[in-house]
Amino acid sequence: IEQAMQMPNVTMLESDNNLEINGRTAIYVSFELNFTGQGGEAVTSVGKQYYVLDGDQLWILTYTVDKGQVDTLGPLVEQSAMTFEPL
């Protein structure tokens, strides 16, 4: 995580180191990603990652949405992550 946050096109938005998903210890991070599109236009996405510890296994859930859709899709991303159950 720390290495990715040092990239010039990545900005940390928020994090939660005290999260639980279905009884499992979890960490959440959200970050903004800035790219240049194929046509030269600026593209901004928001990445949301959940790191879920299950015994000796670490699961990483990654969601990426267009910045303009965060208000609409953000709650669906969180709802999806909170239903995660390892295989």
Side-chain angles (χ1 to χ4, degrees):
I1 297 171
E2 185 176 317
Q3 196 173 23
M5 295 306 132
Q6 292 176 4
M7 294 172 54
N9 63 334
V10 178
T11 304
M12 175 70 101
L13 298 176
E14 62 182 332
S15 65
D16 185 350
N17 295 329
N18 194 24
L19 187 64
E20 189 173 290
I21 296 179
N22 287 323
R24 294 170 181 85
T25 301
I27 295 173
Y28 162 78
V29 295
S30 177
F31 46 90
E32 189 173 281
L33 305 160
N34 296 295
F35 298 94
T36 301
Q38 290 180 346
E41 73 281 4
V43 177
T44 302
S45 297
V46 173
K48 295 177 178 277
Q49 288 189 323
Y50 296 81
Y51 296 78
V52 184
L53 186 61
D54 182 43
D56 63 350
Q57 298 288 316
L58 179 65
W59 296 83
I60 303 172
L61 313 176
T62 301
Y63 301 84
T64 307
V65 299
D66 182 86
K67 185 176 181 179
Q69 296 180 313
V70 169
D71 290 342
T72 302
L73 298 178
L76 295 174
V77 165
E78 183 176 354
Q79 183 180 10
S80 172
M82 292 304 142
T83 64
F84 175 74
E85 282 287 343
L87 300 175

